[in-house]
Amino acid sequence: MQNIPKELFTPAAINENEAEKISKPSLSFWKDVTSRFKKNKLALTGIVLLVILLIMAIFGPMMNEFDYRTTDLAHANEAPSSVHWFGTDELGRDVFTRTWQGARISLFIGLAAAVIDLIIGVLWGGISGYMGGKVDEFMMRFADILYGVPYLLLVILLMVILEQGLGTMILAMTITGWINMARIVRGQVLQLKYQEYVLAAQTLGADVKRIMFKHLIPNSMGPILVTMTLTIPNAIFTESFLSYLGLGVQVPLASWGTMASEGLPAFEYYPWRLFFPATLICVTIFAFNVIGDGMRDALDPRLRK
C-alpha cells in the first residue's frame, strides 16, 4: 500500500464552543421533557395559577372570622368591602369564605375523579393491550358500549336515582370517565409490547405483572399524565354543572357550582355573587388545560419517534 505523506493531513479546526456542547452529558427523557416544558411560558403561568388556587383553597376559609355556613340576614347582599372582601349573599354569608370553601370541594372532586379514572383506565387499557386477541376484543367492545352512552345524561340519571352526595357524584363521573384513559394506555401498550426490552423480559421469565408495571406503564407515563391533566378540568366542570342544576353538592356545603346557581338570578343587582365563583371556574379550567397542552407539546418530539 502506498505511503501517504503526513504533510497532506491537516488537523480539523476546533470550535471550543461546539466542543463544550458535545462534551456535555446527554439529557434523560424526563429532563428533556422538563426543559421543553419550562420554555412554555403559558404552561408555567398555568402552574403558578394552580399553585395560588391550591394555597387559597387551603388557607382562604381561615383568612377572616366568618364561617361559610353562618347566616346574617342583617348584612344580606352587601357589596364587596373591607369587611366582606367578596361581599355577602342573600343570607348574609361571606362570599369570600364560601368561595374558597367551594374551591376545596370542586378541586377535591376533580382530583378524586381523575385519580379513579387513572387507576381503572391504566389497568383496563394495559391488560387489554398486553393480552390482545379475544381478551382485547371483549374488553374494548365493553368499553365501546359504555362510551356510546351520553356522558352527562348518564351522570344526571345516576344522580337522580342514587342518594346525592360527594361519593355519588364521584361514582357517577367515573362510570364512563375512565374509558378515554384506557384507550390511550391500550394504544401505548400495543406499540411497546414488541420492543426488545419487553421481549427480553419475557424471555427471562418475567411475569405479566412485572412486565406491566416495570416496563410498559412507566414507558407510557407521558400520555398518561397528559390525559390525567386534561381530565381534571372536565371533572371540575361536570361538578359545577351538576351543582348548578341542584343535583350536586347540597347545603350546607358550598361549591363553585352551587354559588353560581344562587348568584345567577341575582346577577343584575348583585353581580359579585356570580362573578367570583364563575371566574374561578374559568381560571381553574384554563390553568389545567394550558398545563396539559404544555406537557403534550413537551412530549411530542419523543412521541413521534
Side-chain angles (χ1 to χ4, degrees):
M1 183 175 179
Q2 185 179 0
N3 292 328
I4 302 176
K6 294 182 179 180
E7 297 82 32
L8 297 179
F9 291 93
T10 303
I14 298 176
N15 187 324
E16 294 184 0
N17 293 329
E18 292 297 326
E20 182 180 356
K21 291 180 181 179
I22 295 173
S23 65
K24 289 182 179 179
S26 60
L27 294 176
S28 66
F29 173 76
W30 287 108
K31 286 184 178 180
D32 188 19
V33 170
T34 302
S35 177
R36 293 176 186 275
F37 183 84
K38 289 179 179 179
K39 295 177 182 178
N40 191 324
K41 295 182 179 179
L42 190 60
L44 293 178
T45 300
I47 288 182
V48 172
L49 290 174
L50 184 57
V51 169
I52 293 173
L53 287 169
L54 291 173
I55 291 174
M56 290 303 298
I58 295 171
F59 298 105
M62 300 180 289
M63 292 177 67
N64 59 31
E65 70 273 21
F66 301 106
D67 183 80
Y68 75 94
R69 294 173 295 184
T70 302
T71 61
D72 184 3
L73 296 179
H75 297 89
N77 293 318
E78 288 189 355
S81 64
S82 59
V83 178
H84 297 282
W85 301 332
F86 286 3
T88 62
D89 63 11
E90 77 281 5
L91 296 177
R93 297 172 296 190
D94 184 70
V95 175
F96 178 86
T97 305
R98 287 180 61 78
T99 297
W100 296 115
Q101 181 66 30
R104 293 180 177 181
I105 300 296
S106 297
L107 291 174
F108 169 75
I109 291 176
L111 291 170
V115 169
I116 295 174
D117 287 344
L118 169 71
I119 295 172
I120 299 176
V122 167
L123 291 176
W124 192 276
I127 294 172
S128 177
Y130 183 77
M131 298 302 293
K134 293 184 178 180
V135 174
D136 179 41
E137 182 73 17
F138 171 78
M139 295 180 72
M140 296 315 298
R141 293 296 76 77
F142 177 79
D144 289 341
I145 292 172
L146 285 180
Y147 193 74
V149 180
Y151 173 71
L152 280 177
L153 179 62
L154 178 61
V155 171
I156 292 173
L157 180 62
L158 289 174
M159 292 302 299
V160 171
I161 295 175
L162 302 176
E163 182 180 355
Q164 295 180 3
L166 297 183
T168 302
M169 191 182 308
I170 294 172
L171 173 64
M173 287 193 290
T174 55
I175 288 290
T176 60
W178 56 270
I179 295 176
N180 188 47
M181 178 68 76
R183 288 178 167 179
I184 296 293
V185 174
R186 174 182 178 269
Q188 290 297 306
V189 170
L190 287 175
Q191 293 180 24
L192 295 172
K193 70 177 185 178
Y194 295 115
Q195 295 292 321
E196 289 82 357
Y197 60 88
V198 177
L199 297 177
Q202 292 174 340
T203 303
L204 293 173
D207 56 19
V208 175
K209 180 180 177 181
R210 179 174 177 82
I211 293 174
M212 189 72 64
F213 291 100
K214 182 70 175 179
H215 300 289
L216 296 177
I217 292 178
N219 283 285
S220 304
M221 284 306 298
I224 289 173
L225 290 176
V226 172
T227 304
M228 184 178 179
T229 305
L230 297 175
T231 299
I232 295 173
N234 182 57
I236 291 174
F237 175 79
T238 302
E239 179 278 319
S240 299
F241 178 73
L242 291 173
S243 297
Y244 179 83
L245 295 178
L247 298 174
V249 175
Q250 302 298 309
V251 293
L253 295 177
S255 79
W256 289 336
T258 58
M259 295 182 67
S261 178
E262 296 167 354
L264 182 61
F267 180 72
E268 183 176 356
Y269 301 102
Y270 315 113
W272 60 86
R273 289 174 51 188
L274 175 63
F275 173 79
F276 292 109
T279 299
L280 287 175
I281 291 173
C282 295
V283 169
T284 304
I285 292 175
F286 168 79
F288 276 110
N289 282 336
V290 297
I291 291 171
D293 289 340
M295 291 177 62
R296 182 166 52 197
D297 292 342
L299 287 161
D300 268 346
R302 295 287 184 148
L303 295 177
R304 284 196 294 264
K305 291 183 178 180

PDB file of all heavy atoms in Angstrom, residues 177-205:
ATOM      1  N   GLY A 177     -65.911   7.691  32.798  1.00  0.00           N
ATOM      2  CA  GLY A 177     -64.813   8.631  32.645  1.00  0.00           C
ATOM      3  C   GLY A 177     -63.458   7.988  32.395  1.00  0.00           C
ATOM      4  O   GLY A 177     -62.550   8.638  31.876  1.00  0.00           O
ATOM      5  N   TRP A 178     -63.303   6.722  32.755  1.00  0.00           N
ATOM      6  CA  TRP A 178     -62.015   6.038  32.621  1.00  0.00           C
ATOM      7  C   TRP A 178     -61.737   5.539  31.205  1.00  0.00           C
ATOM      8  O   TRP A 178     -60.603   5.135  30.888  1.00  0.00           O
ATOM      9  CB  TRP A 178     -61.974   4.835  33.563  1.00  0.00           C
ATOM     10  CG  TRP A 178     -63.111   3.876  33.344  1.00  0.00           C
ATOM     11  CD1 TRP A 178     -64.326   3.898  33.956  1.00  0.00           C
ATOM     12  CD2 TRP A 178     -63.162   2.766  32.431  1.00  0.00           C
ATOM     13  NE1 TRP A 178     -65.122   2.870  33.497  1.00  0.00           N
ATOM     14  CE2 TRP A 178     -64.426   2.158  32.558  1.00  0.00           C
ATOM     15  CE3 TRP A 178     -62.244   2.221  31.522  1.00  0.00           C
ATOM     16  CZ2 TRP A 178     -64.811   1.051  31.814  1.00  0.00           C
ATOM     17  CZ3 TRP A 178     -62.624   1.108  30.774  1.00  0.00           C
ATOM     18  CH2 TRP A 178     -63.885   0.542  30.933  1.00  0.00           C
ATOM     19  N   ILE A 179     -62.741   5.574  30.330  1.00  0.00           N
ATOM     20  CA  ILE A 179     -62.614   4.917  29.024  1.00  0.00           C
ATOM     21  C   ILE A 179     -61.561   5.593  28.155  1.00  0.00           C
ATOM     22  O   ILE A 179     -60.769   4.923  27.476  1.00  0.00           O
ATOM     23  CB  ILE A 179     -63.975   4.883  28.315  1.00  0.00           C
ATOM     24  CG1 ILE A 179     -64.952   4.013  29.112  1.00  0.00           C
ATOM     25  CG2 ILE A 179     -63.838   4.355  26.892  1.00  0.00           C
ATOM     26  CD1 ILE A 179     -66.353   3.984  28.566  1.00  0.00           C
ATOM     27  N   ASN A 180     -61.522   6.910  28.164  1.00  0.00           N
ATOM     28  CA  ASN A 180     -60.516   7.607  27.349  1.00  0.00           C
ATOM     29  C   ASN A 180     -59.108   7.256  27.799  1.00  0.00           C
ATOM     30  O   ASN A 180     -58.212   7.025  26.973  1.00  0.00           O
ATOM     31  CB  ASN A 180     -60.739   9.120  27.431  1.00  0.00           C
ATOM     32  CG  ASN A 180     -59.861   9.876  26.462  1.00  0.00           C
ATOM     33  OD1 ASN A 180     -59.743   9.532  25.295  1.00  0.00           O
ATOM     34  ND2 ASN A 180     -59.231  10.939  26.946  1.00  0.00           N
ATOM     35  N   MET A 181     -58.912   7.183  29.116  1.00  0.00           N
ATOM     36  CA  MET A 181     -57.600   6.790  29.637  1.00  0.00           C
ATOM     37  C   MET A 181     -57.262   5.367  29.198  1.00  0.00           C
ATOM     38  O   MET A 181     -56.114   5.069  28.822  1.00  0.00           O
ATOM     39  CB  MET A 181     -57.588   6.890  31.167  1.00  0.00           C
ATOM     40  CG  MET A 181     -56.287   6.451  31.826  1.00  0.00           C
ATOM     41  SD  MET A 181     -54.902   7.552  31.494  1.00  0.00           S
ATOM     42  CE  MET A 181     -55.324   8.906  32.607  1.00  0.00           C
ATOM     43  N   ALA A 182     -58.231   4.471  29.255  1.00  0.00           N
ATOM     44  CA  ALA A 182     -57.998   3.081  28.854  1.00  0.00           C
ATOM     45  C   ALA A 182     -57.576   2.990  27.387  1.00  0.00           C
ATOM     46  O   ALA A 182     -56.670   2.219  27.030  1.00  0.00           O
ATOM     47  CB  ALA A 182     -59.253   2.246  29.095  1.00  0.00           C
ATOM     48  N   ARG A 183     -58.200   3.768  26.537  1.00  0.00           N
ATOM     49  CA  ARG A 183     -57.847   3.737  25.116  1.00  0.00           C
ATOM     50  C   ARG A 183     -56.423   4.249  24.890  1.00  0.00           C
ATOM     51  O   ARG A 183     -55.673   3.686  24.074  1.00  0.00           O
ATOM     52  CB  ARG A 183     -58.843   4.584  24.327  1.00  0.00           C
ATOM     53  CG  ARG A 183     -60.216   3.945  24.199  1.00  0.00           C
ATOM     54  CD  ARG A 183     -61.165   4.854  23.455  1.00  0.00           C
ATOM     55  NE  ARG A 183     -62.383   4.163  23.046  1.00  0.00           N
ATOM     56  CZ  ARG A 183     -63.388   4.744  22.399  1.00  0.00           C
ATOM     57  NH1 ARG A 183     -63.313   6.033  22.105  1.00  0.00           N
ATOM     58  NH2 ARG A 183     -64.456   4.046  22.061  1.00  0.00           N
ATOM     59  N   ILE A 184     -56.067   5.316  25.604  1.00  0.00           N
ATOM     60  CA  ILE A 184     -54.716   5.859  25.464  1.00  0.00           C
ATOM     61  C   ILE A 184     -53.677   4.826  25.897  1.00  0.00           C
ATOM     62  O   ILE A 184     -52.678   4.587  25.195  1.00  0.00           O
ATOM     63  CB  ILE A 184     -54.569   7.138  26.304  1.00  0.00           C
ATOM     64  CG1 ILE A 184     -55.492   8.246  25.785  1.00  0.00           C
ATOM     65  CG2 ILE A 184     -53.121   7.605  26.324  1.00  0.00           C
ATOM     66  CD1 ILE A 184     -55.144   8.764  24.425  1.00  0.00           C
ATOM     67  N   VAL A 185     -53.905   4.203  27.051  1.00  0.00           N
ATOM     68  CA  VAL A 185     -52.942   3.230  27.583  1.00  0.00           C
ATOM     69  C   VAL A 185     -52.868   2.010  26.674  1.00  0.00           C
ATOM     70  O   VAL A 185     -51.772   1.491  26.402  1.00  0.00           O
ATOM     71  CB  VAL A 185     -53.333   2.823  29.016  1.00  0.00           C
ATOM     72  CG1 VAL A 185     -52.424   1.705  29.526  1.00  0.00           C
ATOM     73  CG2 VAL A 185     -53.239   4.025  29.939  1.00  0.00           C
ATOM     74  N   ARG A 186     -54.005   1.538  26.211  1.00  0.00           N
ATOM     75  CA  ARG A 186     -54.006   0.379  25.304  1.00  0.00           C
ATOM     76  C   ARG A 186     -53.171   0.667  24.063  1.00  0.00           C
ATOM     77  O   ARG A 186     -52.375  -0.174  23.623  1.00  0.00           O
ATOM     78  CB  ARG A 186     -55.432   0.032  24.905  1.00  0.00           C
ATOM     79  CG  ARG A 186     -55.532  -1.070  23.839  1.00  0.00           C
ATOM     80  CD  ARG A 186     -56.971  -1.334  23.456  1.00  0.00           C
ATOM     81  NE  ARG A 186     -57.065  -2.342  22.398  1.00  0.00           N
ATOM     82  CZ  ARG A 186     -57.077  -2.044  21.094  1.00  0.00           C
ATOM     83  NH1 ARG A 186     -56.988  -0.780  20.692  1.00  0.00           N
ATOM     84  NH2 ARG A 186     -57.165  -3.016  20.197  1.00  0.00           N
ATOM     85  N   GLY A 187     -53.352   1.843  23.468  1.00  0.00           N
ATOM     86  CA  GLY A 187     -52.583   2.188  22.279  1.00  0.00           C
ATOM     87  C   GLY A 187     -51.084   2.212  22.546  1.00  0.00           C
ATOM     88  O   GLY A 187     -50.286   1.735  21.721  1.00  0.00           O
ATOM     89  N   GLN A 188     -50.687   2.741  23.707  1.00  0.00           N
ATOM     90  CA  GLN A 188     -49.282   2.780  24.052  1.00  0.00           C
ATOM     91  C   GLN A 188     -48.718   1.373  24.276  1.00  0.00           C
ATOM     92  O   GLN A 188     -47.614   1.056  23.834  1.00  0.00           O
ATOM     93  CB  GLN A 188     -49.083   3.624  25.317  1.00  0.00           C
ATOM     94  CG  GLN A 188     -49.313   5.103  25.119  1.00  0.00           C
ATOM     95  CD  GLN A 188     -48.322   5.716  24.138  1.00  0.00           C
ATOM     96  OE1 GLN A 188     -47.119   5.597  24.301  1.00  0.00           O
ATOM     97  NE2 GLN A 188     -48.840   6.361  23.120  1.00  0.00           N
ATOM     98  N   VAL A 189     -49.486   0.531  24.965  1.00  0.00           N
ATOM     99  CA  VAL A 189     -49.027  -0.833  25.245  1.00  0.00           C
ATOM    100  C   VAL A 189     -48.890  -1.625  23.953  1.00  0.00           C
ATOM    101  O   VAL A 189     -47.936  -2.404  23.784  1.00  0.00           O
ATOM    102  CB  VAL A 189     -49.992  -1.524  26.229  1.00  0.00           C
ATOM    103  CG1 VAL A 189     -49.668  -3.020  26.341  1.00  0.00           C
ATOM    104  CG2 VAL A 189     -49.897  -0.868  27.597  1.00  0.00           C
ATOM    105  N   LEU A 190     -49.811  -1.445  23.020  1.00  0.00           N
ATOM    106  CA  LEU A 190     -49.718  -2.133  21.735  1.00  0.00           C
ATOM    107  C   LEU A 190     -48.442  -1.762  20.996  1.00  0.00           C
ATOM    108  O   LEU A 190     -47.852  -2.590  20.283  1.00  0.00           O
ATOM    109  CB  LEU A 190     -50.940  -1.803  20.873  1.00  0.00           C
ATOM    110  CG  LEU A 190     -52.270  -2.457  21.289  1.00  0.00           C
ATOM    111  CD1 LEU A 190     -53.407  -1.940  20.420  1.00  0.00           C
ATOM    112  CD2 LEU A 190     -52.176  -3.981  21.192  1.00  0.00           C
ATOM    113  N   GLN A 191     -47.991  -0.515  21.149  1.00  0.00           N
ATOM    114  CA  GLN A 191     -46.756  -0.083  20.495  1.00  0.00           C
ATOM    115  C   GLN A 191     -45.513  -0.608  21.208  1.00  0.00           C
ATOM    116  O   GLN A 191     -44.497  -0.879  20.574  1.00  0.00           O
ATOM    117  CB  GLN A 191     -46.703   1.448  20.449  1.00  0.00           C
ATOM    118  CG  GLN A 191     -47.749   2.089  19.570  1.00  0.00           C
ATOM    119  CD  GLN A 191     -47.642   3.607  19.578  1.00  0.00           C
ATOM    120  OE1 GLN A 191     -46.584   4.164  19.851  1.00  0.00           O
ATOM    121  NE2 GLN A 191     -48.734   4.286  19.280  1.00  0.00           N
ATOM    122  N   LEU A 192     -45.611  -0.752  22.528  1.00  0.00           N
ATOM    123  CA  LEU A 192     -44.419  -1.073  23.320  1.00  0.00           C
ATOM    124  C   LEU A 192     -44.196  -2.560  23.546  1.00  0.00           C
ATOM    125  O   LEU A 192     -43.057  -2.977  23.797  1.00  0.00           O
ATOM    126  CB  LEU A 192     -44.510  -0.374  24.688  1.00  0.00           C
ATOM    127  CG  LEU A 192     -44.490   1.147  24.685  1.00  0.00           C
ATOM    128  CD1 LEU A 192     -44.778   1.677  26.087  1.00  0.00           C
ATOM    129  CD2 LEU A 192     -43.148   1.671  24.186  1.00  0.00           C
ATOM    130  N   LYS A 193     -45.232  -3.371  23.477  1.00  0.00           N
ATOM    131  CA  LYS A 193     -45.085  -4.749  23.941  1.00  0.00           C
ATOM    132  C   LYS A 193     -44.199  -5.607  23.046  1.00  0.00           C
ATOM    133  O   LYS A 193     -43.800  -6.700  23.445  1.00  0.00           O
ATOM    134  CB  LYS A 193     -46.451  -5.407  24.116  1.00  0.00           C
ATOM    135  CG  LYS A 193     -47.202  -5.708  22.831  1.00  0.00           C
ATOM    136  CD  LYS A 193     -48.510  -6.424  23.152  1.00  0.00           C
ATOM    137  CE  LYS A 193     -49.272  -6.866  21.917  1.00  0.00           C
ATOM    138  NZ  LYS A 193     -50.499  -7.603  22.266  1.00  0.00           N
ATOM    139  N   TYR A 194     -43.889  -5.145  21.848  1.00  0.00           N
ATOM    140  CA  TYR A 194     -42.986  -5.889  20.970  1.00  0.00           C
ATOM    141  C   TYR A 194     -41.589  -5.261  20.920  1.00  0.00           C
ATOM    142  O   TYR A 194     -40.768  -5.657  20.092  1.00  0.00           O
ATOM    143  CB  TYR A 194     -43.561  -5.967  19.552  1.00  0.00           C
ATOM    144  CG  TYR A 194     -44.852  -6.764  19.498  1.00  0.00           C
ATOM    145  CD1 TYR A 194     -46.047  -6.148  19.148  1.00  0.00           C
ATOM    146  CD2 TYR A 194     -44.873  -8.124  19.810  1.00  0.00           C
ATOM    147  CE1 TYR A 194     -47.233  -6.866  19.097  1.00  0.00           C
ATOM    148  CE2 TYR A 194     -46.048  -8.850  19.767  1.00  0.00           C
ATOM    149  CZ  TYR A 194     -47.221  -8.219  19.419  1.00  0.00           C
ATOM    150  OH  TYR A 194     -48.404  -8.932  19.376  1.00  0.00           O
ATOM    151  N   GLN A 195     -41.327  -4.303  21.803  1.00  0.00           N
ATOM    152  CA  GLN A 195     -39.987  -3.724  21.875  1.00  0.00           C
ATOM    153  C   GLN A 195     -39.005  -4.747  22.457  1.00  0.00           C
ATOM    154  O   GLN A 195     -39.390  -5.662  23.174  1.00  0.00           O
ATOM    155  CB  GLN A 195     -40.015  -2.468  22.752  1.00  0.00           C
ATOM    156  CG  GLN A 195     -40.848  -1.335  22.185  1.00  0.00           C
ATOM    157  CD  GLN A 195     -40.254  -0.739  20.926  1.00  0.00           C
ATOM    158  OE1 GLN A 195     -39.039  -0.586  20.821  1.00  0.00           O
ATOM    159  NE2 GLN A 195     -41.107  -0.428  19.948  1.00  0.00           N
ATOM    160  N   GLU A 196     -37.711  -4.536  22.161  1.00  0.00           N
ATOM    161  CA  GLU A 196     -36.702  -5.517  22.537  1.00  0.00           C
ATOM    162  C   GLU A 196     -36.640  -5.745  24.041  1.00  0.00           C
ATOM    163  O   GLU A 196     -36.497  -6.890  24.505  1.00  0.00           O
ATOM    164  CB  GLU A 196     -35.321  -5.071  22.035  1.00  0.00           C
ATOM    165  CG  GLU A 196     -35.143  -5.149  20.529  1.00  0.00           C
ATOM    166  CD  GLU A 196     -35.728  -3.942  19.813  1.00  0.00           C
ATOM    167  OE1 GLU A 196     -36.325  -3.080  20.500  1.00  0.00           O
ATOM    168  OE2 GLU A 196     -35.578  -3.857  18.583  1.00  0.00           O
ATOM    169  N   TYR A 197     -36.757  -4.670  24.830  1.00  0.00           N
ATOM    170  CA  TYR A 197     -36.623  -4.838  26.282  1.00  0.00           C
ATOM    171  C   TYR A 197     -37.803  -5.608  26.876  1.00  0.00           C
ATOM    172  O   TYR A 197     -37.649  -6.317  27.869  1.00  0.00           O
ATOM    173  CB  TYR A 197     -36.464  -3.471  26.969  1.00  0.00           C
ATOM    174  CG  TYR A 197     -37.607  -2.509  26.760  1.00  0.00           C
ATOM    175  CD1 TYR A 197     -38.698  -2.501  27.614  1.00  0.00           C
ATOM    176  CD2 TYR A 197     -37.567  -1.583  25.725  1.00  0.00           C
ATOM    177  CE1 TYR A 197     -39.742  -1.609  27.430  1.00  0.00           C
ATOM    178  CE2 TYR A 197     -38.596  -0.692  25.535  1.00  0.00           C
ATOM    179  CZ  TYR A 197     -39.685  -0.700  26.388  1.00  0.00           C
ATOM    180  OH  TYR A 197     -40.716   0.185  26.194  1.00  0.00           O
ATOM    181  N   VAL A 198     -38.976  -5.510  26.246  1.00  0.00           N
ATOM    182  CA  VAL A 198     -40.126  -6.272  26.721  1.00  0.00           C
ATOM    183  C   VAL A 198     -39.963  -7.745  26.349  1.00  0.00           C
ATOM    184  O   VAL A 198     -40.202  -8.646  27.167  1.00  0.00           O
ATOM    185  CB  VAL A 198     -41.441  -5.715  26.136  1.00  0.00           C
ATOM    186  CG1 VAL A 198     -42.633  -6.564  26.585  1.00  0.00           C
ATOM    187  CG2 VAL A 198     -41.635  -4.269  26.570  1.00  0.00           C
ATOM    188  N   LEU A 199     -39.535  -8.006  25.121  1.00  0.00           N
ATOM    189  CA  LEU A 199     -39.310  -9.392  24.693  1.00  0.00           C
ATOM    190  C   LEU A 199     -38.201 -10.041  25.512  1.00  0.00           C
ATOM    191  O   LEU A 199     -38.289 -11.228  25.849  1.00  0.00           O
ATOM    192  CB  LEU A 199     -38.945  -9.409  23.205  1.00  0.00           C
ATOM    193  CG  LEU A 199     -40.037  -8.903  22.249  1.00  0.00           C
ATOM    194  CD1 LEU A 199     -39.518  -8.891  20.814  1.00  0.00           C
ATOM    195  CD2 LEU A 199     -41.283  -9.781  22.351  1.00  0.00           C
ATOM    196  N   ALA A 200     -37.183  -9.248  25.863  1.00  0.00           N
ATOM    197  CA  ALA A 200     -36.096  -9.795  26.691  1.00  0.00           C
ATOM    198  C   ALA A 200     -36.604 -10.157  28.079  1.00  0.00           C
ATOM    199  O   ALA A 200     -36.234 -11.202  28.641  1.00  0.00           O
ATOM    200  CB  ALA A 200     -34.965  -8.773  26.797  1.00  0.00           C
ATOM    201  N   ALA A 201     -37.468  -9.313  28.639  1.00  0.00           N
ATOM    202  CA  ALA A 201     -38.039  -9.608  29.959  1.00  0.00           C
ATOM    203  C   ALA A 201     -38.877 -10.873  29.913  1.00  0.00           C
ATOM    204  O   ALA A 201     -38.849 -11.699  30.837  1.00  0.00           O
ATOM    205  CB  ALA A 201     -38.871  -8.428  30.444  1.00  0.00           C
ATOM    206  N   GLN A 202     -39.633 -11.058  28.819  1.00  0.00           N
ATOM    207  CA  GLN A 202     -40.442 -12.276  28.672  1.00  0.00           C
ATOM    208  C   GLN A 202     -39.544 -13.504  28.569  1.00  0.00           C
ATOM    209  O   GLN A 202     -39.838 -14.554  29.157  1.00  0.00           O
ATOM    210  CB  GLN A 202     -41.324 -12.155  27.431  1.00  0.00           C
ATOM    211  CG  GLN A 202     -42.411 -11.095  27.546  1.00  0.00           C
ATOM    212  CD  GLN A 202     -43.160 -10.903  26.239  1.00  0.00           C
ATOM    213  OE1 GLN A 202     -42.675 -11.270  25.166  1.00  0.00           O
ATOM    214  NE2 GLN A 202     -44.351 -10.322  26.325  1.00  0.00           N
ATOM    215  N   THR A 203     -38.445 -13.365  27.827  1.00  0.00           N
ATOM    216  CA  THR A 203     -37.511 -14.483  27.659  1.00  0.00           C
ATOM    217  C   THR A 203     -36.887 -14.896  28.986  1.00  0.00           C
ATOM    218  O   THR A 203     -36.662 -16.088  29.250  1.00  0.00           O
ATOM    219  CB  THR A 203     -36.402 -14.105  26.660  1.00  0.00           C
ATOM    220  OG1 THR A 203     -36.999 -13.726  25.420  1.00  0.00           O
ATOM    221  CG2 THR A 203     -35.454 -15.274  26.437  1.00  0.00           C
ATOM    222  N   LEU A 204     -36.646 -13.910  29.843  1.00  0.00           N
ATOM    223  CA  LEU A 204     -36.037 -14.186  31.150  1.00  0.00           C
ATOM    224  C   LEU A 204     -37.051 -14.688  32.171  1.00  0.00           C
ATOM    225  O   LEU A 204     -36.699 -14.943  33.327  1.00  0.00           O
ATOM    226  CB  LEU A 204     -35.355 -12.916  31.680  1.00  0.00           C
ATOM    227  CG  LEU A 204     -34.130 -12.448  30.881  1.00  0.00           C
ATOM    228  CD1 LEU A 204     -33.655 -11.103  31.395  1.00  0.00           C
ATOM    229  CD2 LEU A 204     -33.015 -13.486  30.967  1.00  0.00           C
ATOM    230  N   GLY A 205     -38.308 -14.816  31.772  1.00  0.00           N
ATOM    231  CA  GLY A 205     -39.313 -15.403  32.644  1.00  0.00           C
ATOM    232  C   GLY A 205     -40.093 -14.416  33.493  1.00  0.00           C
ATOM    233  O   GLY A 205     -40.769 -14.828  34.452  1.00  0.00           O
TER     234      GLY A 205
END
